[in-house]
């Protein structure tokens, strides 16, 4: 089985990164934790910080871009781990997930953490996907 590094303009590699955003091994995709950075940094500089809903939608968009780079779509995302800095944000994250996945939800774990890499960040999500599975097919 070959290993393919995933690259997508919607989830660009960070300059000088010491990690990969994702890999494909056969039909399986392994996706790094994604955040809404640098959009959160730019919004904070304008005095318009992004809330949990907006950050979650940006993050899910990055994950989708990586899955699309492998030839898939958002409904191939089968598992997510959501890291929040404030448990009070879980409802906004849930609303974003409902809007993004439209009723076809991956399995998920929610973890509250003390902090993320930049102070503007309140959510990070990592994920696994399978190109041969479509959550819309689940009964």
């Amino acid at each position: 089985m070959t290993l393919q590094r995933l690259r997508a303009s919607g989830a660009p590699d960070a300059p000088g990164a010491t990690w990969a955003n994702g890999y494909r091994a056969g039909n399986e995709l392994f996706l790094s934790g994604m955040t809404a950075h640098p959009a959160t940094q730019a919004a904070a500089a304008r005095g318009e910080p992004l809330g949990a809903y907006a950050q979650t939608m940006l993050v899910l968009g990055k994950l989708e871009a990586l899955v699309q780079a492998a030839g898939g779509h958002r409904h191939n995302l089968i598992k997510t781990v959501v890291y929040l800095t404030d448990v009070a944000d879980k409802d906004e994250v849930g609303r974003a997930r409902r809007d993004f996945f439209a009723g076809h939800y991956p399995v998920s774990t929610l973890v509250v953490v003390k902090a993320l890499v930049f102070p503007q960040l309140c959510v990070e999500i990592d994920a696994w996907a399978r190109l041969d599975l479509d959550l819309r097919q689940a009964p």
Side-chain angles (χ1 to χ4, degrees), residues 60 74-80 97 100-101 103-109 127-128 135:
L60 292 172
R74 69 178 60 184
H75 298 296
N76 295 131
L77 288 162
I78 59 168
K79 179 171 176 45
T80 61
R97 289 172 54 87
F100 185 83
F101 289 111
H104 306 284
Y105 307 112
V107 298
S108 186
T109 300
W128 294 262
L135 292 181

Side-chain angles (χ1 to χ4, degrees), residues 2-137:
T2 61
L3 191 63
Q4 172 194 358
R5 185 168 177 172
L6 300 176
R7 296 184 191 273
S9 61
D13 293 332
T18 57
W19 67 90
N21 282 339
Y23 281 104
R24 176 181 180 174
N27 284 319
E28 292 187 76
L29 307 180
F30 307 93
L31 307 176
S32 287
M34 294 285 125
T35 68
H37 182 77
T40 49
Q41 191 173 37
R46 292 190 310 270
E48 303 169 352
L50 298 179
Y53 178 87
Q55 287 192 36
T56 303
M57 291 301 286
L58 285 168
V59 170
L60 292 172
K62 287 182 175 183
L63 293 170
E64 180 179 36
L66 289 165
V67 173
Q68 287 175 340
H73 51 78
R74 69 178 60 184
H75 298 296
N76 295 131
L77 288 162
I78 59 168
K79 179 171 176 45
T80 61
V81 179
V82 180
Y83 304 92
L84 291 179
T85 58
D86 186 345
V87 73
D89 289 335
K90 69 179 175 50
D91 293 337
E92 286 299 291
V93 171
R95 182 168 69 93
R97 289 172 54 87
R98 282 189 297 280
D99 290 348
F100 185 83
F101 289 111
H104 306 284
Y105 307 112
V107 298
S108 186
T109 300
L110 177 67
V111 180
V112 177
V113 297
K114 183 175 178 177
L116 294 170
V117 68
F118 297 112
Q120 302 91 354
L121 297 174
C122 64
V123 63
E124 182 168 341
I125 303 173
D126 60 26
W128 294 262
R130 286 199 52 116
L131 299 176
D132 58 342
L133 298 175
D134 185 331
L135 292 181
R136 295 172 296 187
Q137 305 299 316

